[in-house]
Amino acid sequence: MNIDAFRKIEERAFYALAALLGLVVLIGLGAAHYMETHGHVVTGMTNQIVWGLPHVFAVFMIVAASGVLNVASIGSVFGKPVYKARAPLSALLAIALLAGGLTVLMLDLGRPDRLIVAMTHFNFKSIFALNVILYTGFFAIVAAYIWTMMDRKVKGFSKYAGFSAFIWRLALTTATGSIFGFLVARQAYSSAILAPMFIIMSFSYGLAVFIVVQSFMYAWNGLTLDEAILRRMKNLLATFVGAVFYFTIVYHMTNLYFAKQWDFERFILLDGGIFTTLFWVGQIAIGTLIPLAMLLHPTLGINSKSVLFSALLIILGGFAQLYVIIIGGQAFPLSIFPGMQETSTFFDGAIHHYNPSLPEFLLGLGGIGIALLITTIAVRILHFVPQDDFHHVSKDALTD
Amino acid sequence: MSNNVDKTPDSKSHDSSRRQFIGYGAAAMAGLAIAPGITLFDLAHGRAPEEAASSKVRWGMLIDSGKCATGCNDCVSACGKENGFSGSRETDSQWIRKVEIKDLRNGQSHSLPMMCQHCEHPPCVDVCPTGASFKRADGIVLVDRHICIGCRYCMMACPYKARSFVHEELQDQNPDVPRGKGCVEACTLCVHRVDRGGQPACADACSAAGHNAILFGDLNDPNSEISKRVATLATTQVRGDLGLNVGVRYQGI
Ligand code: SF4
Ligand code: SF4
């Protein structure tokens, strides 16, 4: 595998792909414009479900952004050559996903035109404001990290930059998880387990995204990924998926332990309609059990196509999981008068309904388009494709 | 920026076309960045314009659900008329609503109005990234409609579902109460009336209907009617377990 092979990405295919992604981005921006001019009344969001599909997309991308950097961290911080070769791509994906996620988040604001206000007025007590600072810092640190990896003159700093990025991203994901953890009155989010759960979710989604992009790049260049490398990455992925599964069980078990949370658990696990289906079919079956079985299977687990397929399922399961957490958590009514039955014109005490609209979906898709467009262009102009130089990789570095 | 400073402006700017102008354009936003003091509540007549809301006062309400009549909606209609909202679709603003509650143990029911509880430790203010949600020194919790970016985090954080997001363009607004698409809003305790020495429209309407279920007053003044009643009667803070020390108290639930 040499650089030249990778740099010969066919010109035409590249432009076609870039144009297609550009179109997805444009459609997303158009959808956002439509939402802004007409107001959120054209979305499925209401005063009961205040965060909708755009948040699901945005949170997925932001969480995956910090997780995808894991690949680089394992390389730089823990000194594993196979991962080190993938560090630049991992860092690039982190920036691209964060850019996509933040764009969606921003365009879903009631007043996206007030970006300057958001940048100049800080309430330092707000975890949201803290997130803005952490996101900005993440861009800077990861960009510096990429620079230290690409420029031989500053290569010596790569390890430090990698370490800073590693710490920063843990803080970032904790803060993202805490956005929900701070909502003490909402039963879905009052669990302390949410922040660590977001970290482990980020590992899983991030690595799944990495594997998908990497598979695509190898296929594009007519290359095959070395089996030893594939084996390691899929083992790591399986570990992360298993860990998310474990946290999910703990989250629901602790909720079941508190009698006041039973109603909520009943809603999600048994009679929550779409949310129950998404939980069991989307998150548990498609996003956890099937990919886990495939990844751990003796033959499927080392077939690059089925590993790719598992990674795609994990991404789908991730969306289902975030949909259940974000929207399911709001659909269940707030208990303003515990122990009482509540009714009102403002839908107190009632399960809230949400019908996502097309513009919201297109906006979310546009965010993914942004992430992929950045990746596609950057990969073409810079050297981001993993270069495994096996002469320099000792055998034991490949076996763990 | 501290959250409980009084941001009520020096109110030299009554001109509503100017306010309109502020609504648009980047130039105006830059202006806002350096003049966060220009807020919506620029008609402060109850006290001298340059006089800040005082922390000696804590405005609050005591709602007697025993007097509140099931089926009566006068406070809600009065609020809608005063502040310019109507409708009860899922996307419509409802600063105040009538809630019917039924105790599942003894089957007793109560009717009561629910609105922003004007918390002393408001979660909406804590989470607001820009500081648009703020608490005045006199305890009234407001949204500065020129700084709100419409992120809706405050709506997620409020334990009382007291806030609404403006989902579409509005018409025929009360100039005293500027509202706007894309921003979050909630009960202001009729701050424009209070600052002129009046009381919230809901309280007036309830008295007018002869129910007198809503008592407005200064919780910090030991001689006020509300303080006396809070001191002597069994009153409740809704979700008192959250420790927010709300300014709206209930009686009879
Ligand atoms: S009731 Fe809700 S909106 Fe009102 S001050 Fe408390 S948290 Fe804020
Ligand atoms: S919607 Fe407005 S008031 Fe509410 S938290 Fe966001 S910026 Fe603050």
Side-chain angles (χ1 to χ4, degrees):
Chain A
M1 298 176 199
N2 61 57
I3 306 168
D4 289 338
F6 293 118
R7 298 188 78 179
K8 282 182 196 145
I9 297 174
E10 288 146 292
E11 192 103 359
R12 280 172 135 183
F14 165 77
Y15 284 115
L17 179 63
L20 180 73
L21 292 171
L23 189 67
V24 172
V25 174
L26 277 181
I27 292 174
L29 293 179
H33 179 72
Y34 176 72
M35 280 165 60
E36 199 199 339
T37 42
H38 290 78
H40 275 59
V41 73
V42 297
T43 71
M45 288 175 256
T46 62
N47 281 324
Q48 281 68 42
I49 306 284
V50 304
W51 287 350
L53 210 50
H55 272 78
V56 174
F57 277 90
V59 173
F60 181 89
M61 281 185 272
I62 291 167
V63 165
S66 76
V68 80
L69 200 62
N70 218 25
V71 173
S73 302
I74 298 172
S76 309
V77 181
F78 304 108
K80 305 275 182 201
V82 168
Y83 288 100
K84 212 168 192 161
R86 284 160 179 75
L89 177 61
S90 141
L92 167 67
L93 280 173
I95 286 191
L97 283 167
L98 190 64
L102 288 183
T103 307
V104 173
L105 208 57
M106 202 231 351
L107 291 176
D108 178 53
L109 291 176
R111 296 296 304 255
D113 56 318
R114 288 194 178 153
L115 189 61
I116 294 170
V117 174
M119 292 311 213
T120 50
H121 289 70
F122 278 111
N123 167 18
F124 288 100
K125 261 176 105 178
S126 167
I127 188 83
F128 233 38
L130 179 70
N131 269 285
V132 172
I133 296 167
L134 286 170
Y135 296 147
T136 320
F138 188 79
F139 274 120
I141 289 183
V142 177
Y145 182 34
I146 292 182
W147 178 41
T148 62
M149 289 187 286
M150 296 257 163
D151 187 342
R152 297 210 165 269
K153 276 177 276 172
V154 289
K155 207 144 192 141
F157 296 100
S158 178
K159 194 164 172 112
Y160 303 108
F163 191 71
S164 319
F166 173 67
I167 298 295
W168 198 272
R169 120 191 119 81
L170 289 183
L172 183 111
T173 322
T174 312
T176 308
S178 305
I179 286 180
F180 296 95
F182 265 76
L183 307 172
V184 287
R186 301 218 177 225
Q187 295 188 40
Y189 309 131
S190 56
S191 167
I193 216 161
L194 228 44
M197 187 160 116
F198 265 76
I199 293 195
I200 200 72
M201 278 153 65
S202 83
F203 288 1
S204 170
Y205 305 167
L207 188 56
V209 170
F210 186 89
I211 288 176
V212 170
V213 173
Q214 176 180 259
S215 310
F216 191 71
M217 282 166 64
Y218 273 72
W220 181 285
N221 294 291
L223 301 166
T224 32
L225 184 60
D226 182 82
E227 194 188 303
I229 298 174
L230 180 72
R231 194 189 294 265
R232 289 171 119 219
M233 298 195 91
K234 70 97 186 173
N235 280 342
L236 192 62
L237 185 60
T239 312
F240 290 157
V241 172
V244 174
F245 190 38
Y246 169 77
F247 267 89
T248 306
I249 294 171
V250 173
Y251 169 80
H252 290 288
M253 291 306 269
T254 44
N255 270 347
L256 283 169
Y257 180 78
F258 297 107
K260 59 175 177 149
Q261 299 280 42
W262 283 2
D263 288 349
F264 171 70
E265 282 303 317
R266 211 192 137 76
F267 175 67
I268 296 294
L269 303 180
L270 283 179
D271 50 27
I274 176 77
F275 303 109
T276 305
T277 311
L278 280 176
F279 178 78
W280 290 110
V281 179
Q283 181 183 339
I284 301 298
I286 296 179
T288 307
L289 299 179
I290 299 175
L292 215 47
M294 286 174 68
L295 291 172
L296 299 177
H297 191 274
T299 49
L300 287 177
I302 47 166
N303 175 314
S304 61
K305 285 217 178 66
S306 72
V307 171
L308 167 65
F309 187 65
S310 311
L312 285 168
L313 290 184
I314 291 163
I315 292 172
L316 278 181
F319 273 94
Q321 179 170 19
L322 288 172
Y323 196 95
V324 172
I325 293 178
I326 296 174
I327 297 169
Q330 297 173 79
F332 189 75
L334 270 177
S335 174
I336 300 176
F337 297 91
M340 308 254 199
Q341 196 179 51
E342 306 161 26
T343 49
S344 79
T345 54
F346 204 48
F347 315 95
D348 286 288
I351 301 292
H352 308 312
H353 298 284
Y354 172 65
N355 298 312
S357 68
L358 188 63
E360 288 166 86
F361 177 71
L362 294 176
L363 170 59
L365 218 54
I368 293 185
I370 290 174
L372 294 179
L373 188 61
I374 293 176
T375 311
T376 309
I377 294 174
V379 164
R380 185 158 172 89
I381 51 183
L382 292 165
H383 307 192
F384 279 109
V385 178
Q387 293 141 46
D388 291 303
D389 185 351
F390 288 101
H391 306 293
H392 294 199
V393 179
S394 67
K395 199 159 179 277
D396 56 55
L398 276 172
T399 49
D400 75 75
Chain B
M1 133 184 12
S2 164
N3 292 321
N4 38 18
V5 281
D6 172 29
K7 289 195 204 162
T8 305
D10 57 15
S11 98
K12 287 186 184 94
S13 48
H14 286 189
D15 181 348
S16 74
S17 68
R18 176 160 170 272
R19 200 188 288 125
Q20 271 238 313
F21 167 67
I22 288 171
Y24 306 103
M29 282 198 290
L32 278 166
I34 45 173
I38 303 166
T39 69
L40 59 166
F41 305 103
D42 43 11
L43 289 168
H45 297 306
R47 48 190 160 77
E50 59 284 345
E51 187 190 329
S54 161
S55 59
K56 290 191 204 97
V57 181
R58 170 136 199 241
W59 296 119
M61 296 209 282
L62 177 61
I63 294 166
D64 186 346
S65 84
K67 292 184 184 161
C68 176
T70 306
C72 171
N73 214 32
D74 286 8
C75 52
V76 179
S77 332
C79 179
K81 196 159 161 250
E82 180 73 28
N83 298 303
F85 62 84
S86 61
S88 55
R89 289 175 306 163
E90 286 173 306
T91 47
D92 287 329
S93 284
Q94 294 192 41
W95 294 13
I96 180 174
R97 66 212 191 246
K98 279 294 294 290
V99 181
E100 309 297 323
I101 52 175
K102 188 167 160 198
D103 196 320
L104 294 174
R105 285 158 306 185
N106 56 22
Q108 261 187 2
S109 4
H110 308 271
S111 185
L112 48 86
M114 182 45 93
M115 72 293 275
C116 171
Q117 305 285 293
H118 298 279
C119 312
E120 186 190 347
H121 308 292
C124 59
V125 171
D126 286 347
V127 301
C128 177
T130 62
S133 285
F134 68 102
K135 190 183 71 178
R136 291 208 323 181
D138 57 8
I140 302 182
V141 176
L142 298 170
V143 180
D144 182 335
R145 121 130 181 80
H146 296 303
I147 304 179
C148 175
I149 54 174
C151 69
R152 319 190 285 287
Y153 196 18
C154 53
M155 299 177 76
M156 292 289 281
C158 173
Y160 307 98
K161 241 174 96 183
R163 296 200 153 186
S164 295
F165 179 67
V166 182
H167 284 78
E168 54 199 316
E169 210 69 68
L170 302 168
Q171 266 93 39
D172 302 330
Q173 292 299 297
N174 175 356
D176 274 0
V177 189
R179 307 168 54 217
K181 184 184 77 184
C183 292
V184 166
E185 53 185 24
C187 157
T188 65
L189 222 55
C190 282
V191 69
H192 55 290
R193 288 166 152 250
V194 172
D195 282 348
R196 291 172 191 151
Q199 65 165 357
C202 56
D204 276 347
C206 190
S207 317
H211 299 301
N212 291 311
I214 305 178
L215 174 64
F216 173 79
D218 177 7
L219 288 162
N220 276 355
D221 172 5
N223 297 316
S224 69
E225 179 67 16
I226 187 170
S227 294
K228 285 188 204 151
R229 283 219 235 159
V230 168
T232 53
L233 301 168
T235 58
T236 322
Q237 302 196 24
V238 176
R239 290 298 312 261
D241 56 315
L242 297 172
L244 307 176
N245 190 20
V246 292
V248 177
R249 309 290 171 86
Y250 289 82
Q251 176 185 344
I253 50 170

